[in-house]
Amino acid sequence: QSALTQPASVSGSPGQSITISCTGTNSDLGAYNYVSWYQQHPGKAPKLMIYDVRVRPSGVSNRFSGSKSGNTASLTISGLQPEDEADYYCTSYTSRNTVLFGGGTKVTVV
Amino acid sequence: EMQVIESGGDLVRPGGSLRLTCKVSGFDFSSYAMSWVRQAPGKGLEWVSGISGSGGATYNADSVKGRFIVSRDNSKNTLHLQMNGLRVEDTAVYYCAKDFFFNLATGNAFDMWGQGTMVTVSS
């Protein structure tokens, strides 16, 4: 199975909003609302930011929001801050009973 | 305090075997699915295997099907990954991840991760 498709990089200035897309197929992202997003800083373990498309775990800033339309999910970061600079990954459950990660998006705060 | 600690990573020859262990504490282990996720050096995350809270359902990525076996011992709060027929492309940091849900098929969100254990496959 191919990874979900994410842009390699997205950048923004402090205070701006950015959106990361995650595109799958009718067999994964389009078929289930089991979409999650993870943030990973260099040398660190990933951190869950969003699950079930749009649910924020306790402790995650409300500047992070998720959505989905058809075979594409999106993560929006509002009021971009320097500490948001990291790699972001989406995941989806699939019809083959597996979990698929996206290729990852490097967010740069310029 | 909730903790997830992996161990067992090592340098192994192609074709060899290795068994990873994940020891958890601070939560009701049997109530949650667990997964192994790996990350090759400089690359992205790849889900490898998952197991339901009871251990009755297991799931594997196509890339490891038939070679890796995930299991758990709820009496000892431990998760294992038996890796056989190792290949150079299996070289990665292997993370143990706790799921928010009981079964991957009803939702999956990895809300707690260990720091990872390094597996290097090289001749």
Side-chain angles (χ1 to χ4, degrees), chain A residues 6-65:
Chain A
Q6 297 181 232
S9 62
V10 172
S11 62
S13 301
Q16 283 188 330
S17 292
I18 62 169
T19 296
I20 303 168
S21 62
C22 172
T23 302
T25 69
N26 291 332
S27 297
D28 39 68
L29 220 152
Y32 304 93
N33 286 325
Y34 302 149
V35 179
S36 297
W37 289 90
Y38 299 86
Q39 175 193 66
Q40 186 181 35
H41 287 107
K44 300 293 187 181
K47 175 186 176 183
L48 178 67
M49 305 302 285
I50 296 284
Y51 69 94
D52 286 358
V53 177
R54 62 183 72 251
V55 181
R56 269 190 319 274
S58 174
V60 173
S61 171
N62 59 9
R63 298 186 297 104
F64 292 84
S65 62

Side-chain angles (χ1 to χ4, degrees), chain B:
Chain B
E1 180 190 4
M2 294 193 285
Q3 277 196 318
V4 173
I5 301 174
E6 307 93 336
S7 63
D10 205 347
L11 169 63
V12 62
R13 299 272 192 249
S17 296
L18 205 57
R19 190 190 197 206
L20 304 184
T21 296
C22 173
K23 177 71 174 175
V24 311
S25 59
F27 60 93
D28 183 9
F29 184 60
S30 64
S31 291
Y32 301 99
M34 298 291 294
S35 279
W36 289 96
V37 177
R38 69 185 180 185
Q39 187 167 35
K43 302 296 184 182
L45 299 168
E46 179 189 15
W47 177 82
V48 174
S49 298
I51 186 168
S52 64
S54 65
T58 61
Y59 310 82
N60 291 285
D62 290 346
S63 58
V64 305
K65 206 162 287 186
R67 299 189 300 125
F68 290 12
I69 300 171
V70 59
S71 63
R72 64 192 296 160
D73 184 341
N74 286 346
S75 69
K76 297 181 179 178
N77 284 7
T78 56
L79 175 74
H80 298 288
L81 184 67
Q82 178 65 43
M83 302 186 293
N84 302 320
L86 281 162
R87 305 167 180 169
V88 172
E89 55 265 33
D90 294 320
T91 295
V93 172
Y94 283 73
Y95 292 102
C96 171
K98 169 192 169 294
D99 206 314
F100 190 76
F101 300 95
F102 178 79
N103 191 318
L104 265 69
T106 55
N108 51 88
F110 308 131
D111 63 346
M112 179 168 293
W113 299 65
Q115 285 307 302
T117 187
M118 183 71 202
V119 172
T120 302
V121 185
S122 174
S123 54

Side-chain angles (χ1 to χ4, degrees), chain A residues 69-88:
Chain A
S69 178
N71 295 341
T72 299
S74 299
L75 174 72
T76 297
I77 308 174
S78 305
L80 199 61
Q81 298 183 1
E83 58 264 34
D84 298 333
E85 188 162 291
D87 293 325
Y88 291 83

